[in-house]
Amino acid sequence: MDRGEFFEVKDLSLAEQGRKNLELAELHMGALMEIRKKFEKERPFEGIKIGMALHVTKETGVLVRTLIAGGADVAITGCNPLSTQDDVAAALAEEGVKVWAYKGETKEDYYRYIGYVIAQKPHITIDDGCDLVSEIHKNYKELIPDIICGCEETTTGIIRLKAMEKDGALKYPMIAVNDNMTKHLVDNYYGTGQSTIDGILRATNILIAGKTFVVCGYGSCGKGVALRARGLGANVVVCEVDNFRALQAVYDGYRVMPIKEAAKIGDIFCTVTGNKHVIRLEHMKLMKNGAVICNSGHFDVEIDIAALKDASSSTRRIRPFMDEYVLDGKKIFVLGEGRLVNLAAAEGHPSEVMSTSFCGQALACEYGVKNRGKLPIKVIQLPKELDDEIAGLQLKAMGIEIDELTDEQIAYLNSWEEGT
Ligand SMILES: NC(=O)c1ccc[n+]([C@@H]2O[C@H](COP(=O)([O-])OP(=O)(O)OC[C@H]3O[C@@H](n4cnc5c(N)ncnc54)[C@H](O)[C@@H]3O)[C@@H](O)[C@H]2O)c1
């Protein structure tokens, strides 16, 4: 391959803006920058090729630079056709990173680019949604013996990996970075909470106060979205299928009801379930004129847009990330084509959030290399100490100190003799 074949991006002249955005991201990613310093010294990835399918954002760019600082040869493509930041992709291409991505990719290009990453014969895969791993297992099995491990970023990817494990289809070890406590707390909860609202606001410029805001799914992400919508003055309604989660939503002070009831009263709907067809045509038919629907779950299957399109008398794009469907004479608006609204219509999570998530990715790669050949072919978690290290690095980056257990306290916590 000549150099030109090592990247395909929208426009190289955007690189200057991309570099500025990367610089800004680095300023807010202190924890990951600490890991970069360590990698620069220790070079844990000398001779290691890392293939990535992650949202190509400025924060991912900082992760790419961090892995390269550790000696890795990195190739990257996106993991969602709408989430690439073209300026960042251009900056990475100019720095010599192998990058194939542009915002608005066709499905053909999406899979062609995944093929290019796989063609680099990675020793480690980093995925957000499991598409890279799934392609390797389906079409490039011959590469598997040389793969040390994979690292997965999101809940949906973990669900797919666990299904592969259950079917006996999984052929190399997977580190569930998503399941780090630090990732769930900072990324799914605080990150998705804020950036989903950001996406809705940028797409619509709607006033949230006073609106009935329906959140489908009360997992880590849904809790964050509900919290922030309430913070802006919305009346939040939660729809769930799990008793425990529904109970928690009730005790957190939200109204809980089935989607067929919520559909009648909601102004804004947001799915964050990781499931399919959560909002269907039968629900959309019940919605008010002007209802806004969006999704912040991983894939664009949570809202049945195909059925909405079929049943609508007309469809048009009103603003860049806002499509109007006229259904039984009522206007229904879908944001970001039903894809992750925070990435399609906004910029994804703030850098500080991704710093924590990507500390998990960076340390998972290092852990994989250190334990090469010893990891079970399963979906595994990082040891608790590494998760704790990430929390510590983030606190340090924020300039926050905490207390330490005294020897007396350690002895007390480890003893059973002392009681009333
Ligand atoms: N937007 C982002 O930036 C971002 C960030 C992290 C994760 N994600 C994605 O968001 C989704 C949710 O992640 P999570 O960590 O909150 O998952 P989770 O498993 O903790 O929560 C999902 C919740 O949805 C509920 N649910 C499932 N089907 C439902 C249905 N039909 N109706 C109502 N509720 C239903 C489940 O009971 C569960 O409580 C996943 O697809 C994940 O990959 C997105």
Side-chain angles (χ1 to χ4, degrees):
M1 276 186 169
D2 69 29
R3 176 72 194 106
E5 290 172 66
F6 283 131
F7 68 85
E8 212 170 295
V9 298
K10 186 158 227 154
D11 181 358
L12 271 185
S13 73
L14 300 172
E16 166 83 35
Q17 182 58 50
R19 275 191 296 277
K20 286 182 190 152
N21 277 332
L22 281 158
E23 197 184 308
L24 196 59
E26 285 179 349
L27 188 70
H28 292 283
M29 298 180 83
L32 188 60
M33 296 302 279
E34 279 293 314
I35 292 181
R36 187 185 292 179
K37 272 191 232 153
K38 185 172 88 117
F39 283 178
E40 272 163 359
K41 262 193 239 137
E42 297 172 7
R43 304 277 292 174
F45 306 123
E46 212 64 77
I48 300 288
K49 287 188 272 183
I50 301 182
M52 302 164 83
L54 285 184
H55 303 292
V56 183
T57 60
K58 56 189 184 307
E59 294 75 22
T60 303
V62 178
L63 173 65
V64 167
R65 286 176 169 181
T66 302
L67 297 172
I68 291 174
D73 179 356
V74 177
I76 178 168
T77 184
C79 62
N80 181 302
L82 281 188
S83 64
T84 294
Q85 292 166 1
D86 289 318
D87 58 339
V88 173
L92 292 177
E94 272 209 353
E95 284 175 27
V97 177
K98 300 181 187 95
V99 51
W100 300 277
Y102 65 90
K103 188 170 178 121
E105 277 164 23
T106 60
K107 200 166 180 171
E108 293 71 46
D109 281 346
Y110 181 80
Y111 279 100
R112 186 161 61 86
Y113 294 164
I114 286 193
Y116 288 172
V117 169
I118 295 171
Q120 304 304 309
K121 302 189 175 154
H123 300 109
I124 295 177
T125 58
I126 303 183
D127 244 316
D128 187 328
C130 188
D131 280 345
L132 185 55
V133 167
S134 161
E135 268 300 291
I136 291 174
H137 279 73
K138 276 192 224 145
N139 300 320
Y140 302 88
K141 291 191 181 71
E142 67 284 2
L143 300 181
I144 290 175
D146 286 332
I147 301 184
I148 300 169
C149 67
C151 307
E152 173 55 54
E153 174 73 12
T154 199
T155 310
T156 286
I158 304 295
I159 292 170
R160 293 178 78 188
L161 289 172
K162 289 200 170 146
M164 286 173 78
E165 185 184 325
K166 197 163 146 234
D167 275 359
L170 187 67
K171 299 297 176 201
Y172 64 90
M174 289 296 155
I175 305 177
V177 173
N178 176 70
D179 293 351
N180 285 350
M181 283 185 345
T182 43
K183 198 282 179 177
H184 255 259
L185 177 76
V186 184
D187 182 309
N188 297 30
Y189 182 58
Y190 292 110
T192 310
Q194 176 170 311
S195 60
T196 298
I197 302 287
D198 185 16
I200 296 170
L201 291 177
R202 291 199 209 189
T204 64
N205 194 26
I206 204 170
L207 179 71
I208 306 273
K211 297 288 187 305
T212 298
F213 192 117
V214 179
V215 180
C216 297
Y218 202 62
S220 302
C221 295
K223 283 175 198 156
V225 175
L227 181 78
R228 295 308 179 213
R230 177 156 69 186
L232 286 170
N235 298 304
V236 176
V237 170
V238 170
C239 301
E240 250 298 341
V241 291
D242 178 271
N243 289 331
F244 181 83
R245 295 266 169 94
L247 189 64
Q248 190 175 12
V250 174
Y251 284 138
D252 284 344
Y254 302 115
R255 278 185 294 166
V256 174
M257 63 185 78
I259 182 66
K260 66 178 189 323
E261 297 305 325
K264 297 177 203 159
I265 58 170
D267 298 298
I268 305 166
F269 295 82
C270 181
T271 52
V272 248
T273 67
N275 206 343
K276 188 177 180 179
H277 293 171
V278 176
I279 296 185
R280 298 183 289 278
L281 185 60
E282 69 211 69
H283 308 129
M284 295 186 264
K285 278 178 170 285
L286 297 170
M287 288 179 187
K288 296 196 256 185
N289 185 32
V292 170
I293 315 175
C294 66
N295 167 54
S296 213
H298 189 75
F299 286 121
D300 61 343
V301 295
E302 303 214 9
I303 306 161
D304 191 355
I305 296 177
L308 173 64
K309 198 170 179 187
D310 277 353
S312 294
S313 56
S314 73
T315 309
R316 57 184 179 143
R317 180 145 294 177
I318 288 283
R319 288 158 59 98
F321 301 105
M322 189 174 188
D323 293 336
E324 174 198 272
Y325 294 85
V326 178
L327 178 66
D328 302 338
K330 290 182 292 188
K331 290 180 177 177
I332 306 280
F333 297 101
V334 177
L335 308 185
E337 300 173 18
R339 297 190 187 279
L340 293 157
V341 69
N342 57 341
L343 281 142
E347 293 170 74
H349 297 334
S351 306
E352 193 171 324
V353 170
M354 294 317 295
S355 179
T356 326
S357 310
F358 288 162
C359 280
Q361 289 289 3
L363 293 182
C365 291
E366 188 188 31
Y367 179 76
V369 171
K370 277 188 182 158
N371 292 283
R372 189 176 193 158
K374 286 186 264 173
L375 297 176
I377 300 183
K378 284 180 163 182
V379 181
I380 57 168
Q381 273 191 254
L382 275 185
K384 247 177 144 16
E385 307 79 70
L386 288 182
D387 210 354
D388 188 60
E389 183 184 333
I390 296 169
L393 283 169
Q394 182 57 20
L395 284 169
K396 189 176 164 203
M398 296 161 89
I400 295 169
E401 288 181 31
I402 62 166
D403 291 310
E404 268 180 50
L405 289 171
T406 63
D407 290 343
E408 185 195 21
Q409 286 167 341
I410 294 171
Y412 178 73
L413 291 173
N414 286 312
S415 72
W416 55 271
E417 288 95 343
E418 234 180 290
T420 315

